[in-house]
Amino acid sequence: MASALFLTERDAEYDDNKPKVKGRIITTLPKAKEVRPLVEKCITVARRGVAAEEAADKFAAGADRGTDAWKSWRKSDKWREWNAAVAPAVAARRRCLQLLGDKQAVLVLFDEVAPRFTDRPGGYTRILKLAKPRLGDAGDRAILEFVGVRDRVVQRSVRPTFEGEGDSKQGSSKKEPAGAAS
């Protein structure tokens, strides 16, 4: 189910079974509560892997594979530095593959989902309980989705101003109490 959540983020334009909404699955409430820690852990591991890949990019070869420049880079100390820097990223990919069991889901996780949450320390998913139970067995349904895509922004409404209201407010602020007029 965790890999199914990640696969909803892929580009499924020509897929027969493309998701209705990206980054969201509807399931039962207990299943959503059970799979949420696994999804959060995978995203955390992938975030660290993406950071290691970015750190390794400064040591990467500037030439295409198989060229003479690439072969000389491969024998230099820069390759050893790149290899040491990219090792945590490879380990992170392997760990996520072990947890998810789907190569396509791991690719989507590292390419699309993890870079979105680089600045967020945790809490990558939310569970929303649906009011309507599942037909057939009346099981509680819930939405498991990624945070940050469809977040509601709380906005305070601005008090409307009417023509001439600014003048009357100045006069009304110096208004005398009703009992003091006599």
Side-chain angles (χ1 to χ4, degrees):
M1 188 173 293
S3 63
L5 180 62
F6 291 124
L7 288 175
T8 61
E9 287 286 326
R10 75 185 187 284
D11 184 25
E13 184 178 341
Y14 301 110
D15 196 1
D16 294 333
N17 190 20
K18 76 177 191 179
K20 292 178 182 152
V21 180
K22 285 189 169 198
R24 175 187 284 183
I25 58 173
I26 297 175
T27 183
T28 61
L29 187 62
K31 285 181 185 177
K33 287 182 178 180
E34 189 70 26
V35 78
R36 185 179 188 180
L38 177 64
V39 171
E40 302 266 340
K41 183 172 185 73
C42 287
I43 294 174
T44 302
V45 169
R47 277 183 52 227
R48 293 181 186 142
V50 168
E53 286 175 356
E54 290 173 357
D57 282 344
K58 63 182 176 183
F59 301 117
D64 291 334
R65 188 179 179 114
T67 61
D68 292 333
W70 183 84
K71 288 177 183 177
S72 64
W73 169 79
R74 180 74 167 80
K75 294 176 182 176
S76 69
D77 289 335
K78 284 276 191 188
W79 180 81
R80 287 184 187 83
E81 292 172 354
W82 173 82
N83 193 11
V86 83
V90 173
R93 283 186 183 267
R94 289 178 179 164
R95 177 69 177 145
C96 287
L97 183 61
Q98 180 185 19
L99 291 172
L100 295 175
D102 188 2
K103 288 183 182 180
Q104 184 69 28
V106 172
L107 287 173
V108 171
L109 170 62
F110 275 80
D111 293 341
E112 298 176 22
V113 178
R116 189 185 321 158
F117 295 116
T118 54
D119 298 334
R120 191 176 184 95
Y124 313 112
T125 59
R126 77 166 66 95
I127 297 174
L128 302 170
K129 187 175 176 184
L130 294 175
K132 230 176 145 179
R134 185 167 60 183
L135 291 175
D137 65 351
D140 290 334
R141 294 188 317 157
I143 295 174
L144 178 64
E145 68 179 0
F146 292 119
V147 174
V149 178
R150 285 168 293 281
D151 289 344
R152 290 183 280 180
V153 178
V154 178
Q155 295 179 347
R156 296 201 57 142
S157 60
V158 180
R159 184 175 179 179
T161 58
F162 300 101
E163 294 179 23
E165 186 176 286
D167 298 334
S168 64
K169 276 189 177 182
Q170 291 173 356
S172 64
S173 63
K174 296 181 182 178
K175 194 175 185 182
E176 294 181 14
S182 45

